Amino acid sequence: MKNFINKLLVNHSLIYKLFLYIATLILVVYLFPKGGQFKYEFQKGKPWQYENYYAPFDFAIQKTDEEIAQEKQQIIATSKQFFNYDEAIVSEVRKTVTNKILELFKNSSLPRRTQKELLQKATKIIDNIYEYGFVEPSSEHKIENKIIFLKRGNNVQNIQPNKLFKTSQVLDYINTQIGAQPFTQFETIIVNILYEAIKPNVSFDEALTQKILEENLNEISYTKGLVAEKERIIFKGDIVEGEKLIKLNSLKKEFESQVWSETNYYWIVFGYTLLVALAFLMLLLFLKKYRIEIFENNNKVTFIFFNIILIVLLITLIVKYDAKYVYIAPIVILPLVLKAFFDARLGLFAHVLTVLLLGFIVPNSFEFIFLQIIAGIVTILTISELYKRANLFISVLQITFVYFVAYFAFSIIQEGNAQSLNWEKFIYFILNGAATLFVLPLIYIFEKLFGLISDESLKELSNTNSKLLRELAEKAPGTFQHSLQVANLAEASAVEINANAMLVRTGALYHDIGKMLNPMYFTENQSTNVNPHNELTPKDSAKIIIEHIIKGVELAKKHRLPDRIIDFIRTHHGTTLVYYFYKKEIALNGEDVDVSNFQYPGPIPFSKETAILMMCDAVEAASKSIKEPTAQVFDELVEKIVNKQMEDGQFMNADITFKELQTIKKVLKKKLKNIYHLRIEYPE
């Protein structure tokens, strides 16, 4: 049992990766749709590349989206408009008008016959207006060019829209029916009584109208015929168009929407599992072979897998909602994020694998895969320094333009002309570009979640006005100037060998922050001839010098510097000796000296950037001790220091080539000569 636990502890990193691999595999397969897949790829306007194809079973021919949309528009245009007729309002109007007219005649000297005629006219006007009804002003727009269905109690009557009175027609109609103008005093009063009393009694019944419309829309047939089993669909070499295209699309939809049996379902899941497992295995093998430092860091591996899952989740959600919006998803954020934290090659590799996986679940998979891989390549090629915001905007414009061009090319190939372009997709590509700009806040979030560092953060950290660097400049001005010089040398060297120049510059600025706690024990900060080491033994002096590494790491953690910056503090002396005090101890006590008391704790550099800093730090410090600087002296100094570090095995873990070391030497020699303004020595 104890041996088993020990094995688990020893291999805990590998066990975690296995768990992460399986968990990611299960999650991605779960997200994928479990329907069948049509095994043939075809495109409109392209030849059928396979053998003669016959229907494998009976299936219905599906109507195209355009046909269905046209039918829906026709139904909406001819849909029935239902209106309610309110009898209560009519009764109220009759009663009101009659009472007011009778009240008017009560004390008048008007002959009874005339009174009777006027009352009959008023009653007739009311009857005529309310024969079919007076429509409410808010419902008038509903009766234009429509067949009206008028509900009167339980009866529904079909009428022409012009039979309903509108507000603008009522007064003119009353005036016409009362008689020839000019009106008498009584006629004018009756006109006013009628106009004020008559109210709309017909209103639009939106609930019933909408219900009937939905019923009619639901009755639309989405099919238009049947293809029998073994019926020929297309010959080899035929162009995929017209009825053949419709039949193939119908068959494809039938495959994807079939209700699969339990056995088929498990086979489909098994197939997805194999393909997804293969893709993620390739990613792990790539990391193990070409990015071993990332492979050995479980946090970084988790981060990579997490980003791939996010993209897969985003696309599957869009496909389930409406696949036409799939191009709005900013998939190029994946290579952008991975490039910001790692490198371009890893970003592109992960992007290609992810796009290939997504090809299983998106419509027009070949078009999707082609567009997204091209966009990913453009992303990697165009964005060199993400922390420069202008670069990101320019790159997004270029990516969007590439989407435009690629889609335009696909469209004219499929349609044979440019008239059938779906302009809506161009809007999707623009939205895609706008969403891609969200990568900057996303990178910031990832930095906090996973403890990683990007170029954007490096840019902020390298600002010499930051709190920690200002404190270094005040407490240890000599060390601060030394750090600036080392940063310049390291940045120039990194540029020449294509290392991360921003990272190594930032690391160089902070590599000696531990010295600010005891600044006077370091020669660059000693402004007088008083040397505190004169009062100490070589062993104690060496201890103080070595402690600037440990105290620097503590100080960096206190100020929450990223681990990648702390790595420069830990490794810039590797496991070298504090040689001056080591030799001094030998001179005092003989050869029997404990080397460990004079040796830095390490570790040795484990990246190109940390190796560059070790070389630049040692060379810059040693160059200050040269009393008569010449080109030859600097050449010998650089060769001596770098070769000694190589002999001591300081670069064994740094993944740096001999050719790159030679390049760095040349840069250091050239820069040192520039710093000290050396001139060519002319012969006498």
Side-chain angles (χ1 to χ4, degrees):
M1 183 66 180
K2 188 176 180 180
N3 289 336
F4 176 73
I5 294 172
N6 287 336
K7 285 183 180 180
L8 286 179
L9 293 174
V10 170
N11 298 302
H12 74 279
S13 180
L14 191 60
I15 293 169
Y16 174 80
K17 288 184 183 67
L18 181 62
F19 170 78
L20 179 66
Y21 176 77
I22 294 171
T24 305
L25 179 62
I26 293 170
L27 183 57
V28 171
V29 172
Y30 173 77
L31 290 173
F32 277 11
K34 306 304 186 298
Q37 290 284 337
F38 190 53
K39 61 182 178 180
Y40 299 108
E41 276 286 337
F42 59 89
Q43 286 182 297
K44 182 180 178 181
K46 301 278 284 185
W48 178 256
Q49 303 288 346
Y50 312 98
E51 296 298 323
N52 299 345
Y53 191 55
Y54 300 87
F57 47 75
D58 295 343
F59 67 92
I61 301 173
Q62 303 286 327
K63 292 178 182 175
T64 64
D65 293 338
E66 292 77 13
E67 289 174 326
I68 293 169
Q70 190 174 357
E71 280 190 38
K72 286 183 177 180
Q73 287 299 323
Q74 182 66 23
I75 289 172
I76 292 170
T78 59
S79 64
K80 297 177 180 179
Q81 303 290 310
F82 287 88
F83 287 77
N84 290 319
Y85 185 98
D86 193 338
E87 294 281 3
I89 291 176
V90 179
S91 299
E92 182 185 342
V93 170
R94 289 181 192 279
K95 184 178 178 182
T96 302
V97 170
T98 302
N99 289 340
K100 285 188 176 183
I101 291 175
L102 291 175
E103 185 68 27
L104 175 66
F105 294 157
K106 200 170 189 181
N107 298 316
S108 70
S109 58
L110 205 64
R112 287 195 172 276
R113 183 177 177 182
T114 305
Q115 290 180 13
K116 187 177 180 182
E117 287 176 358
L118 288 173
L119 185 58
Q120 286 175 347
K121 281 185 180 180
T123 305
K124 186 178 180 182
I125 289 170
I126 293 170
D127 291 342
N128 290 342
I129 289 175
Y130 287 117
E131 181 182 359
Y132 296 104
F134 174 15
V135 68
E136 289 183 345
S138 60
S139 301
E140 287 180 2
H141 66 284
K142 297 287 187 180
I143 66 174
E144 295 177 1
N145 303 319
K146 298 278 186 178
I147 300 298
I148 304 303
F149 288 82
L150 195 62
K151 285 176 57 186
R152 304 179 79 160
N154 294 325
N155 298 321
V156 178
Q157 184 180 8
N158 183 353
I159 65 170
Q160 292 297 323
N162 58 6
K163 290 187 177 182
L164 289 176
F165 274 86
K166 297 180 181 178
T167 305
S168 60
Q169 299 170 336
V170 171
L171 183 58
D172 290 341
Y173 181 76
I174 294 171
N175 288 333
T176 305
Q177 295 300 311
I178 287 294
Q181 297 189 21
F183 293 146
T184 64
Q185 180 185 358
F186 285 98
E187 286 176 335
T188 303
I189 294 172
I190 290 171
V191 167
N192 291 333
I193 290 172
L194 286 167
Y195 188 68
E196 289 175 3
I198 291 174
K199 299 176 183 178
N201 75 316
V202 173
S203 59
F204 179 60
D205 191 340
E206 187 170 359
L208 181 59
T209 301
Q210 190 63 31
K211 180 183 176 183
I212 299 299
L213 175 61
E214 288 176 1
E215 287 176 359
N216 291 336
L217 289 174
N218 290 335
E219 288 175 3
I220 291 177
S221 173
Y222 288 83
T223 62
K224 57 174 184 180
L226 186 72
V227 175
E229 184 179 355
K230 296 184 180 179
E231 180 181 329
R232 177 180 56 80
I233 296 176
I234 192 169
F235 282 128
K236 182 178 180 179
D238 283 356
I239 302 299
V240 180
E241 59 183 0
E243 196 65 24
K244 297 168 188 173
L245 176 63
I246 293 172
K247 288 180 179 179
L248 286 171
N249 280 326
S250 300
L251 184 57
K252 184 178 180 181
K253 286 180 182 178
E254 188 70 23
F255 264 96
E256 292 171 350
S257 64
Q258 279 186 17
V259 179
W260 296 90
S261 66
E262 189 173 321
T263 306
N264 284 338
Y265 177 84
Y266 288 130
W267 276 112
I268 291 168
V269 171
F270 179 66
Y272 272 139
T273 303
L274 289 179
L275 291 171
V276 176
L278 191 61
F280 282 108
L281 180 61
M282 293 303 102
L283 180 59
L284 286 174
L285 291 176
F286 174 86
L287 293 175
K288 184 171 177 59
K289 185 170 179 62
Y290 298 107
R291 299 292 183 272
I292 188 65
E293 72 282 359
I294 297 175
F295 180 79
E296 291 175 350
N297 188 319
N298 285 338
N299 184 49
K300 292 178 179 178
V301 176
T302 304
F303 174 72
I304 295 168
F305 277 57
F306 175 78
N307 275 277
I308 294 174
I309 290 171
L310 273 186
I311 297 297
V312 173
L313 175 62
L314 177 63
I315 296 298
T316 50
L317 288 175
I318 291 174
V319 169
K320 286 177 182 178
Y321 175 71
D322 193 338
K324 73 176 184 179
Y325 297 120
V326 75
Y327 285 111
I328 295 178
I331 294 179
V332 293
I333 278 182
L334 177 63
L336 271 178
V337 168
L338 295 184
K339 184 181 180 183
F341 288 109
F342 306 114
D343 61 83
R345 190 176 176 189
L346 173 58
L348 184 59
F349 189 85
H351 176 70
V352 170
L353 281 181
T354 306
V355 171
L356 290 175
L357 285 176
L358 295 175
F360 293 122
I361 62 173
V362 297
N364 298 322
S365 57
F366 176 76
E367 177 185 315
F368 177 85
I369 291 171
F370 183 87
L371 260 65
Q372 298 297 357
I373 289 179
I374 291 294
I377 293 171
V378 172
T379 302
I380 293 297
L381 293 178
T382 55
I383 297 187
S384 55
E385 296 171 313
L386 188 60
Y387 62 88
K388 293 182 179 178
R389 287 171 294 182
N391 284 3
L392 178 61
F393 279 100
I394 293 169
S395 181
V396 165
L397 289 175
Q398 292 171 329
I399 293 165
T400 306
F401 177 73
V402 167
Y403 273 130
F404 283 179
V405 173
Y407 170 69
F408 176 77
F410 268 104
S411 184
I412 59 176
I413 288 172
Q414 293 170 2
E415 303 293 340
N417 57 63
Q419 280 75 44
S420 302
L421 284 174
N422 184 356
W423 295 103
E424 202 174 72
K425 280 196 175 179
F426 289 98
I427 303 296
Y428 298 159
F429 295 140
I430 292 171
L431 293 175
N432 182 308
T436 304
L437 296 176
F438 184 69
V439 70
L440 289 179
L442 193 64
I443 286 172
Y444 177 78
I445 293 169
F446 284 151
E447 284 179 335
K448 300 305 177 186
L449 286 176
F450 291 90
L452 300 172
I453 185 168
S454 67
D455 285 352
E456 184 68 23
S457 293
L458 290 175
K459 179 187 174 185
E460 294 175 7
L461 289 169
S462 63
N463 186 349
T464 53
N465 286 319
S466 65
K467 182 181 177 181
L468 194 56
L469 291 180
R470 281 204 316 270
E471 190 177 348
L472 177 63
E474 291 169 5
K475 293 182 178 179
T479 300
F480 180 70
Q481 292 301 321
H482 160 72
S483 298
L484 288 176
Q485 291 283 27
V486 172
N488 292 332
L489 293 173
E491 184 177 24
S493 302
V495 168
E496 287 298 317
I497 65 167
N498 294 319
N500 191 330
M502 179 62 77
L503 176 63
V504 74
R505 177 177 180 80
T506 309
L509 290 173
Y510 289 92
H511 80 282
D512 270 344
I513 56 172
K515 290 182 179 180
M516 76 168 76
L517 301 177
N518 288 308
M520 296 308 295
Y521 285 90
F522 300 91
T523 55
E524 66 265 26
N525 298 311
Q526 294 170 0
S527 56
T528 64
N529 292 327
V530 178
N531 188 342
H533 287 291
N534 294 336
E535 308 297 324
L536 302 173
T537 64
K539 183 178 177 181
D540 290 336
S541 293
K543 182 181 179 183
I544 292 172
I545 298 297
I546 291 169
E547 275 185 348
H548 90 272
I549 300 291
I550 299 164
K551 290 181 178 178
V553 171
E554 291 173 353
L555 199 59
K557 288 183 176 179
K558 180 182 176 182
H559 285 80
R560 296 182 180 179
L561 291 184
D563 289 341
R564 290 180 78 184
I565 301 303
I566 296 175
D567 288 341
F568 287 93
I569 301 173
R570 294 165 56 228
T571 62
H572 74 274
H573 285 298
T575 55
T576 58
L577 296 176
V578 185
Y579 202 69
Y580 176 81
F581 292 110
Y582 174 66
K583 283 296 183 181
K584 195 173 180 181
E585 179 73 10
I586 290 176
L588 290 174
N589 300 315
E591 295 290 336
D592 189 17
V593 176
D594 187 354
V595 177
S596 63
N597 291 326
F598 299 88
Q599 189 175 35
Y600 285 100
I604 61 175
F606 47 78
S607 67
K608 290 180 182 180
E609 289 77 15
T610 50
I612 289 170
L613 179 62
M614 172 180 271
M615 289 181 265
C616 295
D617 180 49
V619 166
E620 201 283 332
S623 68
K624 296 288 179 62
S625 64
I626 296 175
K627 295 178 181 179
E628 296 182 7
T630 63
Q632 184 178 354
V633 170
F634 281 130
D635 288 349
E636 291 173 355
L637 176 71
V638 171
E639 290 289 342
K640 177 183 175 183
I641 290 175
V642 176
N643 289 342
K644 181 69 167 62
Q645 290 172 338
M646 289 173 62
E647 290 170 9
D648 291 343
Q650 298 298 313
F651 305 139
M652 288 177 61
N653 298 335
D655 190 29
I656 192 167
T657 65
F658 184 74
K659 181 180 179 181
E660 288 170 336
L661 287 170
Q662 295 302 110
T663 302
I664 293 169
K665 286 180 185 178
K666 289 178 184 178
V667 173
L668 293 176
K669 292 171 186 176
K670 180 182 177 182
K671 287 292 179 182
L672 287 176
K673 293 169 191 175
N674 291 339
I675 291 170
Y676 290 93
H677 305 289
L678 295 179
R679 298 177 181 271
I680 298 173
E681 296 181 8
Y682 291 95
E684 294 181 4

